[in-house]
Amino acid sequence: MNYLDYNIILPELDKTNEFLFENISTDFSNPKTVKKINYTRNVSITRFKRDGNDMLLQLFISDIKIKSNMSTGNIFFLEEVGSVFDEVEVEINDYGKIISILNFKELQDRWKTMHTKLAIDNEGRTVETYMQNITDLLKEERRLISFFSDLKIYGLYFSSLYRNSYDIEQKRKLIDCGKTLMTERFYPKDEKFITYAIKGAPVQSNENSNFIKYQGIIEYREDQINFATIEIEKEKNTLVYNLYKTSL
């Protein structure tokens, strides 16, 4: 991928834009019990300037809701864990990639405090594994940058900042798709460049990938993202990532 192919259109400085991020996962591996989880976050995103640098963004989560057929305890635990990242400040480069997490040390300290509390109130191997994954993410800044850049977290938003009048291709790995490397195409669907299509496929097709569909769209209003969705369908599960702008 050639970064020079991208045109950057940043949000207005010091203006807060409100979004609803939604992840929907459906697991059909057991035909008798279809598992579905709907995870939503209200996120405020503000571009700000500090020490002459205006390539900074604050991402603030005001609400996390999870609906599923999991136990109430698990849902409450997941909502609490998600709050560790409720206020994040990042720096992006001229190509829309996160290059720094400004409050990384603060996030580490916050997780240490929260981890102690959660370890007292929650037990079980699943809980321990989940908390260890968060601990591992916070060991290195580059790991957390990769996490925030994933479609499951903020990837749809950051992908939307950069577009062109012709096809752009990039390679992407997704948290929800294991180690499979995807080739993702991003291209305009209309001459006004208001709607862009997204299509993807495994770089190496094999029987273990089981991908049936990878497609979505991003819609713009006044040069900023207004709506986006990507649906990934595999033989035994589907994943849907949605983003809705909720402010003017």
Side-chain angles (χ1 to χ4, degrees):
M1 177 179 60
N2 184 355
Y3 286 132
L4 295 179
D5 291 338
Y6 285 90
N7 290 324
I8 181 169
I9 303 178
L10 294 172
E12 183 180 337
L13 195 64
D14 295 324
K15 178 182 179 180
T16 298
N17 294 293
E18 307 285 348
F19 299 93
L20 175 69
F21 287 76
E22 179 182 47
N23 301 337
I24 304 170
S25 64
T26 308
D27 185 346
F28 303 98
S29 56
N30 183 348
K32 294 182 179 179
T33 306
V34 176
K35 297 180 181 179
K36 187 170 183 177
I37 301 175
N38 186 305
Y39 180 92
T40 62
R41 294 160 291 148
N42 290 321
V43 182
S44 303
I45 301 179
T46 307
R47 177 172 158 245
F48 66 99
K49 185 175 183 178
R50 181 185 296 161
D51 298 329
N53 184 353
D54 63 357
M55 302 291 283
L56 311 177
L57 295 172
Q58 180 194 61
L59 302 100
F60 180 78
I61 300 175
S62 58
D63 192 22
I64 297 174
K65 292 182 180 179
I66 301 174
K67 297 180 181 179
S68 75
N69 54 2
M70 298 168 60
S71 69
T72 303
N74 279 341
I75 290 176
F76 180 73
F77 166 75
L78 291 173
E79 289 176 343
E80 277 204 302
V81 168
S83 68
V84 73
F85 301 124
D86 64 0
E87 186 174 350
V88 178
E89 293 182 350
V90 303
E91 179 183 3
I92 60 174
N93 62 17
D94 290 336
Y95 317 111
K97 302 296 180 181
I98 300 174
I99 58 173
S100 176
I101 298 175
L102 307 181
N103 60 337
F104 182 66
K105 181 62 168 60
E106 178 186 329
L107 295 176
Q108 287 179 313
D109 294 340
R110 188 188 304 172
W111 174 240
K112 288 178 183 177
T113 302
M114 184 177 291
H115 184 279
T116 301
K117 180 179 181 298
L118 290 172
I120 295 172
D121 299 336
N122 300 273
E123 297 180 348
R125 181 172 296 179
T126 301
V127 168
E128 291 176 0
T129 299
Y130 202 95
M131 290 198 294
Q132 185 59 50
N133 288 340
I134 301 297
T135 299
D136 291 342
L137 277 176
L138 286 161
K139 286 181 178 178
E140 296 180 50
E141 186 179 3
R142 65 175 181 82
R143 294 186 187 183
L144 199 57
I145 288 173
S146 179
F147 177 71
F148 287 145
S149 301
D150 192 88
L151 290 180
K152 189 173 185 177
I153 312 302
Y154 296 121
L156 268 178
Y157 177 79
F158 287 105
S159 294
S160 76
L161 296 176
Y162 312 92
R163 50 193 171 131
N164 215 307
S165 58
Y166 48 83
D167 287 21
I168 297 296
E169 255 190 29
Q170 67 173 344
K171 301 292 189 297
R172 183 192 287 275
K173 280 188 177 181
L174 304 177
I175 293 172
D176 287 327
C177 296
K179 296 181 179 180
T180 304
L181 183 64
M182 307 295 294
T183 298
E184 187 180 88
R185 290 178 57 227
F186 180 63
Y187 59 94
K189 289 188 68 175
D190 57 69
E191 294 181 355
K192 295 182 179 179
F193 309 114
I194 294 174
T195 303
Y196 279 67
I198 302 169
K199 290 188 177 181
V203 172
Q204 293 182 338
S205 298
N206 58 65
E207 59 182 12
N208 295 322
S209 64
N210 298 322
F211 280 86
I212 298 172
K213 179 171 66 175
Y214 182 117
Q215 63 184 38
I217 60 169
I218 294 180
E219 295 179 352
Y220 294 88
R221 185 178 64 191
E222 297 179 354
D223 284 331
Q224 295 298 314
I225 187 171
N226 189 56
F227 167 74
T229 183
I230 290 183
E231 181 179 3
I232 300 172
E233 182 180 352
K234 302 176 73 175
E235 287 187 2
K236 296 182 179 180
N237 68 298
T238 61
L239 304 161
V240 179
Y241 309 100
N242 295 324
L243 183 157
Y244 307 89
K245 188 176 182 184
T246 56
S247 62
L248 296 177

